[in-house]
Amino acid sequence: MALIGAVLLVVAVVAWVLMPVTKGQHASLERDRDELTDAEARRRVALLALRDVEYDYHTGKLDENDYRALRSELSAEALAALQALEDESTGARRAVDAELEAEIAAVRAGLEAGTTCASCGHVNPQGSRFCASCGGALAAREVSPSS
Ligand SMILES: [Zn+2]
């Protein structure tokens, strides 16, 4: 009886472990915004390794020649990663530029409608009479009820 219980337990555990596979679940290929990029990960690894090399050298675990060789190798790697990171951020900067353009357009539209706050620059929804951010009175055109 105990054997049957054990077998059932094993079957249950295996089924539970395989559940994502049998259900066809898989990790998303989309990169999360906060996930490290390749270049950033490489840079961090190189810098951590450099720190370890420094530590090992100063604690006497590494001799002068090994230290110099490792340090120049890791420095080159960190520099290469930094270069790659810069290339990546050029693309990111373009995306930020587009975002800024959209924001500027929104502020401009708000200024034309009189809903952008003159004192803090907050873009308020259409028909607002006071700023939702600082509470200041807006120069918004009155929506005439006669129309
Ligand atoms: Zn305001």
Side-chain angles (χ1 to χ4, degrees), residues 26-142:
H26 51 83
S28 168
L29 292 176
E30 296 277 322
R31 190 199 293 278
D32 285 340
R33 265 173 173 261
D34 55 348
E35 202 174 301
L36 283 183
T37 62
D38 275 358
E40 176 65 15
R42 272 174 62 202
R43 190 185 71 95
R44 287 194 188 186
V45 166
L47 288 179
L48 283 176
L50 261 177
R51 192 196 61 186
D52 288 348
V53 164
E54 290 289 338
Y55 183 79
D56 285 350
Y57 174 65
H58 287 291
T59 52
K61 288 184 195 166
L62 218 61
D63 68 31
E64 182 88 29
N65 288 339
D66 286 348
Y67 167 68
R68 285 184 189 285
L70 276 171
R71 201 180 58 168
S72 69
E73 191 181 308
L74 288 171
S75 299
E77 167 63 12
L79 271 179
L82 210 59
Q83 185 61 50
L85 203 60
E86 234 157 70
D87 294 347
E88 273 176 11
S89 70
T90 307
R93 209 174 305 132
R94 285 203 192 104
V96 169
D97 279 351
E99 232 167 79
L100 270 178
E101 288 294 337
E103 207 166 301
I104 290 167
V107 169
R108 192 171 295 149
L111 278 173
E112 275 162 18
T115 53
T116 294
C117 178
S119 50
C120 78
H122 182 77
V123 182
N124 295 285
Q126 286 287 341
S128 303
R129 297 180 62 188
F130 296 95
C131 175
S133 177
C134 72
L138 296 174
R141 271 175 258 145
E142 292 290 323

